[in-house]
Amino acid sequence: MQIGKARQVWQLEFAGEWPTSVAFLGDSRHLAAGNRQGDIRVWQLPEPPVPVEGGKSETAPDTPPAGQLKGHDNGITHLLATPDGRTLISASLDRTVRLWDPRADADGAKQVLAGHRDWVQALGISGDGRRLISGDDSCLTIVWDLATGAELTRWTGYDRVWVTAAALSPDGSRAFTAEYADGRGSFDRPAAQARFWNATDSSLQQDLLKVWLPDIKDQDRGDTYGYAQAWGKLFGRGLVCAAFSPDGSLLAVGQGGETGTGKVHLVDVASGQIARTVSGHQYGVCDLCFSADGKYILSCGRDTMVRICQVSDGQEVLTLGKSRGGQFKDWLHALAVSPDQQWVAAADIAGLVHVWQLES
Amino acid sequence: MSQLPEMAHHSRRTMLKGLLATAGGTAVMNWGGLFRSAAAADQVQRQGKRCILIWLNGGCSQFETFDMKVGRPTGGPFREIGTNLPGTKICELMPRIAERMDKLTVIRSMHTSQIDHPGGIYLMHTGYAPAANVRFPEIGAIVARYSGRPESDLPNFIKISSQGDAGSGFLGPRYQPFQLDQDGKLPPFSSSQLSAQAEGLRHELRDFLEAGFAARSAAEPARMHREAYEQARRLQHVRDVFQIDQQWERYREQYGDSKLGRRCLLARCLIEAGVSFVEVGQSGYDTHADNFSGHKALVPCMDQAWAGLLDDLEERGLLRDTLVVWMGEIGRTPNINNRSGRDHYVRCWSTALAGAGIKRGLVYGSTDEDGRDVRDSPVTEADFFATVYSALGINPAIENYSGVRPIPLAPFGHRVVADLLA
């Protein structure tokens, strides 16, 4: 990724409910976004208009979507695409994960992955595009074979604790899940978990909280107050997004929920230690990803900004969007980077999909 | 129209009987001590009715519980489920209550006046908006006053991890709530570090000194001070009632493995032991941000605890004489804000009642298609409290005096919603 200036080239209106997810489909001109109602729209973006010399327009042009994918009957939580862009994957509050051919004329998903018992709030794909991971609010995590749609393995956590983030390593062998219990004061049980798993046989590889909070013993994990206090300092109101770096050596996790300043932690996968904390979104992070070369971490959040930071030293090198002021703002709910690494898209709770072009 | 109060007109002499005068001649509260009020209490006590208030602090959303608007812009992501009341649907977060709708009366048309928390909490505990010159008593104090057993070693008004700071108001310290912590444990001051013998000697000495003081001074506060100590001493005889560990093992599944479930079990135990009013709190409903995940976290455990409580009360034959009130201080806005939250709303929201004196299997009132306004049968705070008191066998028009001012239990202009009463 070349970081220089950035120019907003499109501001796509998503009529109706607000967009919650966005994904590029194999190239920088083919874009999909999903919303809170369950609609998915697909855009084929034309060549962006050349900006007028000296022009100071605050808004970028809009262009209508080329198509709509129908099938979900409740909100979309995540959209992902396979590396070749031929399959779009959606996760939903309707408890399903669906695989779509975004170029097909036929209505409906080409495959519905049923197996979840509750809202599917976490979704990740391996770097090779062969495996998928999804997690739901019944604390069930499933690893899928994308080619066949078959379940490879599954595991569950505590009752009434939710899988809030899930990611697969580039080769698909390792999984990460973050779990969180909102309203944790109601129960005598662990408030949260962050763990590495073997994505083939679902065996536990590493309990990251034992690394991050070594003073908390197993028997104290039922002490919700003390445990949540310790957790809160590290992770605010839960980790809601996670991604492995392209070489698999780092895991990025973002603090979500409405918290003071949502941070992004970079975790050394080999040791489990937090190597670095980068960036920060006032009131919480919503989504994140690595650049393809692994040099940058991009995140968006409840401060209506996309922040791009260097992985090497955590320095913020570019921001996209503007903070909208006021105590509470809209959110940039999700982001995506085009395969050629030149375009960044973000889904804005205000009803827009923003597209920026990075110029070296 | 409000009911004509049974004692709507008091003579000047009666009123003056109710006043205390300080040395300087200033009228002060009479701690609810009117003769007729006491007579009313005797009458109500014989009925033996009790009340449990499940208090949803912060304001539970009607859209995520009893008044869903699925498919509308105000609807949110949850879906409806059928109930055992034909034609009635409620939120999927409450599957257990859905199976017990035939025990409830749900009011979908609450229309109240205080939109923020302090005012709303005060309002929905007393029936009155906060006022600078009158300290209104909470419903718990009123039930303790009129239904409580004065001779009981147990407090008649107990709060378990709940809200509301109006307390007993002008009814005086005898009816102040006895507060338990979030785990239902007795407060530290309720247990003595002394041996029983030493504690007994200390009590005798204090009693001796206070008796001497009382002989020289007829001041009400001195009497109340002695009563408070006496109550604390009597509590030592009944501490076992608060120990529910063994019962919890048996009832954990029924009430749900949550702190709220445990609080509800304790409430049942206290009611069974003779306490007249127990308030059980669940906090966290003020979901200006992340309303849906917030309710998803809170409502299911509330659903199980509430359903477990209703079943347990019924199985023990207690539901007939125990009114279970389910409410918070406000509802939540139809509009979903840019924090995925809902703000405060009092134009229309929901409460629910079950048990003593209340019809079973009724949904009262309705709202428009987006839940912005009451469509029919509005219930104000005055109506609500008048109806609740009526269900408990307490005349809502009974007046107490704060200074020279007559204060009915439910505000002037109230309407008892007779349709809700069995």
Side-chain angles (χ1 to χ4, degrees):
Chain A
M1 179 175 277
Q2 299 295 313
I3 303 294
K5 291 191 300 183
R7 178 170 70 96
Q8 184 167 1
V9 290
W10 296 107
Q11 191 166 285
L12 309 172
E13 183 181 350
F14 201 125
E17 295 284 352
W18 69 62
T20 55
S21 48
V22 63
F24 283 98
L25 297 162
D27 62 66
S28 59
R29 300 300 171 81
H30 206 188
L31 183 74
N35 79 351
R36 204 170 64 95
Q37 206 164 24
D39 297 335
I40 300 172
R41 290 171 197 172
V42 180
W43 282 264
Q44 192 69 52
L45 300 174
E47 187 68 26
V50 177
V52 178
E53 194 67 32
K56 292 185 178 177
S57 173
E58 290 288 318
T59 59
D62 185 16
T63 189
Q68 188 166 359
L69 305 176
K70 294 182 179 177
H72 286 295
D73 62 10
N74 208 337
I76 308 292
T77 56
H78 292 276
L79 285 179
L80 293 172
T82 52
D84 61 9
R86 299 181 67 167
T87 301
L88 177 69
I89 306 147
S90 58
S92 170
L93 303 182
D94 71 6
R95 308 177 183 204
T96 67
V97 173
R98 294 178 192 234
L99 311 183
W100 311 80
D101 179 352
R103 291 173 174 81
D105 291 332
D107 276 346
K110 63 181 182 182
Q111 194 161 11
V112 178
L113 306 185
H116 281 291
R117 303 183 292 231
D118 207 331
W119 290 359
V120 186
Q121 300 249 47
L123 188 70
I125 188 170
S126 61
D128 59 13
R130 297 172 65 180
R131 285 185 175 186
L132 188 72
I133 185 169
S134 54
D136 72 23
D137 281 359
S138 71
C139 216
L140 169 65
T141 303
I142 301 176
V143 178
W144 310 84
D145 178 79
L146 254 179
T148 63
E151 262 190 54
L152 294 175
T153 188
R154 63 162 59 195
W155 62 90
T156 56
Y158 289 94
D159 184 29
R160 288 174 178 163
V161 176
W162 310 329
V163 180
T164 53
L168 284 171
S169 61
D171 65 0
S173 64
R174 185 193 297 262
F176 167 80
T177 59
E179 298 158 25
Y180 187 71
D182 206 353
R184 55 187 178 268
S186 296
F187 303 100
D188 295 319
R189 67 189 56 152
Q193 301 286 340
R195 291 181 279 198
F196 285 131
W197 306 85
N198 182 317
T200 301
D201 63 11
S202 69
S203 60
L204 179 64
Q205 290 184 333
Q206 191 165 28
D207 182 344
L208 293 174
L209 289 186
K210 289 187 175 176
V211 180
W212 299 337
L213 302 169
D215 294 336
I216 292 189
K217 309 299 180 199
D218 280 347
Q219 63 268 26
D220 295 331
R221 292 191 176 203
D223 174 9
T224 54
Y225 181 77
Y227 193 57
Q229 290 299 303
W231 168 268
K233 287 178 186 171
L234 267 171
F235 296 108
R237 300 196 65 189
L239 304 175
V240 298
C241 45
F244 281 89
S245 62
D247 66 1
S249 65
L250 291 172
L251 172 80
V253 289
Q255 295 179 337
E258 191 169 287
T259 183
T261 297
K263 299 182 180 68
V264 174
H265 296 302
L266 295 176
V267 180
D268 176 68
V269 172
S271 68
Q273 298 284 356
I274 294 176
R276 196 166 298 112
T277 296
V278 301
S279 191
H281 292 267
Q282 191 180 19
Y283 304 130
V285 181
C286 291
D287 198 8
L288 56 75
C289 66
F290 281 92
S291 61
D293 59 13
K295 291 181 178 176
Y296 301 100
I297 180 81
L298 296 86
S299 60
C300 66
R302 299 188 182 203
D303 57 358
T304 60
M305 306 279 282
V306 173
R307 298 181 185 275
I308 304 177
C309 297
Q310 290 180 162
V311 169
S312 58
D313 59 5
Q315 185 183 349
E316 187 173 286
V317 294
L318 188 65
T319 59
L320 309 175
K322 289 180 181 174
S323 179
R324 292 187 190 151
Q327 186 183 7
F328 299 107
K329 308 162 181 72
D330 303 321
W331 309 350
L332 293 189
H333 209 296
L335 66 80
V337 179
S338 65
D340 65 7
Q341 302 291 291
Q342 290 185 14
W343 296 49
V344 176
D348 183 344
I349 197 172
L352 299 168
V353 178
H354 304 281
V355 183
W356 291 273
Q357 187 171 22
L358 302 179
E359 297 169 338
S360 57
Chain B
M1 284 289 290
S2 58
Q3 275 193 337
L4 186 63
E6 184 181 298
M7 292 160 291
H9 182 74
H10 289 279
S11 68
R12 179 177 170 78
R13 180 180 299 236
T14 308
M15 183 182 76
L16 290 173
K17 272 185 185 174
L19 297 178
L20 293 172
T22 64
T26 309
V28 296
M29 298 175 195
N30 72 345
W31 309 134
L34 280 180
F35 169 77
R36 288 191 177 184
S37 190
D42 290 342
Q43 192 179 4
V44 175
Q45 280 158 14
R46 284 195 292 275
Q47 298 177 36
K49 291 193 176 177
R50 292 149 289 195
C51 183
I52 295 173
L53 167 57
I54 299 175
W55 180 259
L56 310 161
N57 197 57
C60 184
S61 170
Q62 65 277 23
F63 297 99
E64 277 67 63
T65 49
F66 286 114
D67 195 13
M68 301 197 73
K69 303 296 177 186
V70 176
R72 301 297 304 170
T74 56
F78 297 112
R79 298 296 180 248
E80 292 176 313
I81 54 173
T83 70
N84 66 354
L85 209 56
T88 299
K89 293 182 177 179
I90 64 172
C91 182
E92 62 182 320
L93 296 177
M94 301 199 296
R96 291 174 178 83
I97 286 299
E99 293 170 3
R100 292 159 181 81
M101 279 291 284
D102 60 343
K103 295 178 182 175
L104 301 184
T105 276
V106 172
I107 305 170
R108 283 178 171 162
S109 51
M110 293 297 296
H111 182 86
T112 55
S113 62
Q114 296 291 309
I115 198 164
D116 216 341
H117 301 294
I121 291 170
Y122 194 95
L123 183 82
M124 296 309 291
H125 275 90
T126 66
Y128 287 87
N133 55 348
V134 181
R135 290 169 51 226
F136 296 101
E138 294 185 17
I139 178 177
I142 288 173
V143 174
R145 168 75 181 85
Y146 292 98
S147 298
R149 297 184 307 171
E151 74 283 4
S152 173
D153 287 342
L154 283 162
N156 278 303
F157 176 15
I158 295 178
K159 286 193 178 194
I160 311 171
S161 188
S162 197
Q163 306 292 315
D165 57 3
S168 57
F170 58 65
L171 290 181
R174 181 186 294 176
Y175 304 106
Q176 273 291 99
F178 185 73
Q179 304 264 10
L180 305 180
D181 74 4
Q182 63 165 351
D183 295 319
K185 291 180 182 154
L186 287 165
F189 67 78
S190 67
S191 59
S192 173
Q193 303 299 314
L194 301 175
S195 67
Q197 186 185 16
E199 184 60 47
L201 288 170
R202 187 166 78 163
H203 171 70
E204 283 179 20
L205 175 61
R206 183 177 57 241
D207 198 47
F208 172 74
L209 293 171
E210 290 194 328
F213 180 79
R216 296 191 303 277
S217 169
E220 188 76 351
R223 185 173 67 80
M224 292 303 173
H225 187 257
R226 291 186 73 190
E227 285 189 2
Y229 266 105
E230 180 60 18
Q231 271 189 339
R233 194 180 68 81
R234 285 157 58 186
L235 184 65
Q236 305 309 314
H237 305 315
V238 289
R239 295 177 65 87
D240 287 351
V241 175
F242 297 86
Q243 307 303 323
I244 61 164
D245 287 349
Q246 285 188 339
Q247 289 212 54
W248 180 238
E249 292 310 311
R250 180 179 163 199
Y251 287 97
R252 184 194 299 263
E253 201 63 34
Q254 180 170 344
Y255 282 82
D257 189 8
S258 69
K259 292 187 177 181
L260 181 65
R262 199 179 155 96
R263 288 173 207 152
C264 285
L265 173 62
L266 177 57
R268 188 271 287 163
C269 294
L270 293 171
I271 288 289
E272 193 169 40
V275 176
S276 55
F277 190 96
V278 182
E279 180 173 331
V280 175
Q282 186 192 27
S283 288
Y285 284 101
D286 192 22
T287 46
H288 293 280
D290 300 304
N291 172 75
F292 306 108
S293 57
H295 279 74
K296 196 166 191 190
L298 292 166
V299 174
C301 68
M302 178 272 291
D303 168 67
Q304 190 167 359
W306 184 16
L309 175 66
L310 292 173
D311 289 353
D312 201 6
L313 288 170
E314 188 143 75
E315 285 159 13
R316 290 166 182 272
L318 294 169
L319 192 59
R320 193 186 58 186
D321 292 321
T322 305
L323 176 65
V324 180
V325 180
W326 178 93
M327 67 174 172
E329 69 267 32
I330 48 176
R332 306 217 72 87
T333 48
N335 287 349
I336 299 162
N337 66 23
N338 68 345
R339 299 157 70 192
S340 194
R342 295 190 194 266
D343 302 310
H344 303 174
Y345 204 67
V346 292
R347 289 182 67 85
C348 50
W349 55 289
S350 300
T351 59
L353 305 168
I358 292 293
K359 276 186 183 163
R360 298 168 71 104
L362 176 68
V363 176
Y364 185 80
S366 65
T367 58
D368 63 26
E369 61 182 357
D370 285 327
R372 296 186 190 280
D373 273 303
V374 171
R375 179 179 279 155
D376 64 79
S377 311
V379 177
T380 66
E381 61 265 24
D383 303 339
F384 181 80
F385 277 88
T387 308
V388 165
Y389 291 138
S390 296
L392 288 166
I394 302 171
N395 182 349
I398 291 175
E399 289 178 346
N400 285 275
Y401 278 81
S402 175
V404 296
R405 181 176 166 185
I407 312 285
L409 297 187
F412 288 114
H414 66 250
R415 172 184 65 105
V416 175
V417 187
D419 287 348
L420 308 189
L421 300 177

